[in-house]
Amino acid sequence: KQEVTQIPAALSVPEGENLVLNCSFTDSAIYNLQWFRQDPGKGLTSLLLIQSSQREQTSGRLNASLDKSSGRSTLYIAASQPGDSATYLCAVSSPFNDYKLSFGAGTTVTVRA
Amino acid sequence: NAGVTQTPKFQVLKTGQSMTLQCAQDMNHNSMYWYRQDPGMGLRLIYYSASEGTTDKGEVPNGYNVSRLNKREFSLRLESAAPSQTSVYFCASSYRGGRNYGYTFGSGTRLTVV
């Protein structure tokens, strides 16, 4: 069974600092990996999707890397802003799991003004 | 660009009452999913429909039923609500087998069973 772990569980940084969020998974036979953002009381918003054949994806201040062989992905958020405060979830899908998503528990980020 | 639409957004039920949560997507996705999210438990899959005409159990199916009405719509029914079903429910859709297609989530239904 695929296990997804996100470390740290919570992170507090001053505005302007770069954020580094880690995600690890136990089974490297993934189809793709997706990073989501969830604001309190809201739904999940997709940030980046990395296909299994890709090494990284970028969108604005966000960059996500994927190292399938070591079972790791990292989400970098440059020059953090208070508006980046949210919970960030990592999820992987696999054809061996009928393409269902396996979620990490999330990292809750607070950016202090 | 509606994406995934869930109704209702909020609901309070009495124990034993029944209700149906509605979900519709307009992205021509073939797969649809129902999750529940509880504090400290993360997101757990209740049921999913890999394609129109099929449904399968997820991790926590007990107390729920689903119907894939057509390609766009996937409903979740609570036949006899229990306080343990108090949760936030999310519907999601995806294009199964498409490497560049991720999941899209609805905004959720916050359900309280008293």
Side-chain angles (χ1 to χ4, degrees), chain A residues 28-90:
Chain A
S28 63
I30 66 169
Y31 198 62
N32 58 37
L33 183 146
Q34 200 166 357
W35 281 95
F36 294 92
R37 169 185 171 138
Q38 186 174 29
D39 294 294
K42 304 293 185 183
L44 279 71
T45 300
S46 180
L47 297 174
L48 290 168
L49 180 143
I50 310 177
Q51 298 174 38
S52 60
S53 59
Q54 296 176 322
R55 298 282 295 184
E56 67 175 355
Q57 277 287 347
T58 299
S59 176
R61 293 185 295 114
L62 276 59
N63 174 277
S65 66
L66 174 64
D67 185 341
K68 217 171 59 162
S69 61
S70 66
R72 294 176 189 273
S73 177
T74 302
L75 178 66
Y76 300 91
I77 303 177
S80 61
Q81 305 167 359
D84 294 327
S85 298
T87 296
Y88 292 82
L89 295 157
C90 164

Side-chain angles (χ1 to χ4, degrees), chain B residues 80-102:
Chain B
S80 179
S84 61
Q85 294 178 306
T86 293
S87 187
V88 181
Y89 292 85
F90 290 104
C91 177
S93 69
S94 72
Y95 190 78
R96 186 169 181 268
R99 283 187 191 275
N100 202 33
Y101 289 84

Side-chain angles (χ1 to χ4, degrees), chain A residues 12-27:
Chain A
S12 178
V13 300
E15 183 176 4
E17 193 164 299
N18 296 333
L19 288 164
V20 180
L21 309 180
N22 296 302
C23 171
S24 61
F25 46 93
T26 53
D27 186 348

